[in-house]
Amino acid sequence: MAFAPSPIPSRTQYVLEAIKHGILTGGLSPGQALVETELAAQFGVSKTPVREALKTLAGTGLVVMSQFKGVTVRTVDAAMAHEVYDVRLLLEPEALRRSLALRASLEPAREALVKADEAVDRAERSLANREFHRALYLPCGNPLLARMLDEVRDQAALVSTVAWAAVPSWEQEAGEHREILRLALAGDADGAARALHDHIASFVQRAFPEGDRA
């Protein structure tokens, strides 16, 4: 018998989303300590929802739990960025090909582009960009493949946030997104997959050159 996962309590979800927003807007800096008592006081909750939220964020790779340092916002370096983007390079183009082979609707991807254009901060833009990529790979017909890509979404967003803080390149990436969608809508699966691969590869190489890797 399969069991559905338990829903996250509302207070925990509230704290989780608030911390995630802080991380993805740069309000919480990489390496910054996240102290349960301080966060509980800030959000007006007990330590329990804070603790559960931090555990969930650790599972998505946005924070790191250490016996000695406690909980900190994950630090982004070239090695971490390339690890995350290597996974995307291996899986996303193939997932897109499969989505197009199944003639999946691309309307969610189009809607995500509009949201990205209308975003008012880095967190909203990052969320819209993740929605765009997810709309391309989610209907690939392989739930395990989609889940594997879902697992690196938040880490990829953290990489983008750090990179954008140094070099705000989202306008270039938005143009690349439009080209990927244009090719996909035209039914050019190979062209769309190549454009997606180049888009992912060029971003991480531009933000974190290979020579910077540890």
Side-chain angles (χ1 to χ4, degrees):
M1 178 183 296
F3 293 93
S6 301
I8 298 176
S10 58
R11 288 184 180 179
T12 300
Q13 187 67 39
Y14 165 71
V15 173
L16 188 156
E17 294 300 330
I19 296 174
K20 180 186 290 188
H21 185 273
I23 293 172
L24 297 182
T25 55
L28 295 172
S29 305
Q32 181 173 339
L34 300 174
V35 182
E36 286 184 13
T37 53
E38 294 177 359
L39 292 170
Q42 177 182 341
F43 297 123
V45 298
S46 68
K47 290 196 296 183
T48 298
V50 172
R51 185 177 304 117
E52 293 305 312
L54 292 175
K55 287 180 181 177
T56 299
L57 290 168
T60 65
L62 286 184
V63 307
V64 176
M65 290 184 162
S66 167
Q67 180 179 354
F68 304 103
K69 294 184 179 180
V71 183
T72 57
V73 178
R74 184 167 186 178
T75 299
V76 175
D77 57 20
M80 177 271 194
H82 282 275
E83 286 176 5
V84 172
Y85 275 68
D86 280 349
V87 172
R88 297 184 64 194
L89 284 168
L90 288 169
L91 301 181
E92 274 196 50
E94 177 59 25
L96 173 57
R97 282 194 185 92
R98 296 186 179 201
S99 294
L100 295 178
L102 294 172
R103 300 182 183 277
S105 171
L106 296 172
E107 186 57 29
R110 193 199 309 270
E111 292 173 355
L113 289 187
V114 174
K115 289 182 182 179
D117 288 339
E118 296 175 348
V120 298
D121 61 30
R122 288 204 302 265
E124 285 189 18
R125 189 175 293 109
S126 178
L127 178 59
N129 284 347
R130 282 184 291 159
E131 288 178 0
F132 172 77
H133 282 272
R134 192 169 194 260
L136 298 180
Y137 69 69
L138 188 63
C140 67
N142 185 327
L144 177 58
L145 175 56
R147 284 199 301 272
M148 291 173 71
L149 284 165
D150 271 351
E151 288 178 2
V152 299
R153 281 204 309 158
D154 284 344
Q155 294 177 61
L158 180 57
V159 172
S160 296
T161 297
V162 171
W164 285 346
V167 182
S169 59
W170 53 77
E171 289 186 1
Q172 176 178 338
E173 285 127 39
E176 294 169 357
H177 284 173
R178 286 189 286 270
E179 177 62 9
I180 293 165
L181 183 59
R182 184 190 70 79
L183 291 166
L185 288 169
D188 185 354
D190 287 339
R194 282 196 301 272
L196 176 59
H197 181 281
D198 291 347
H199 163 69
I200 296 170
S202 64
F203 174 82
V204 71
Q205 183 58 34
R206 184 169 60 249
F208 298 93
E210 287 281 350
D212 293 346
R213 295 178 73 168

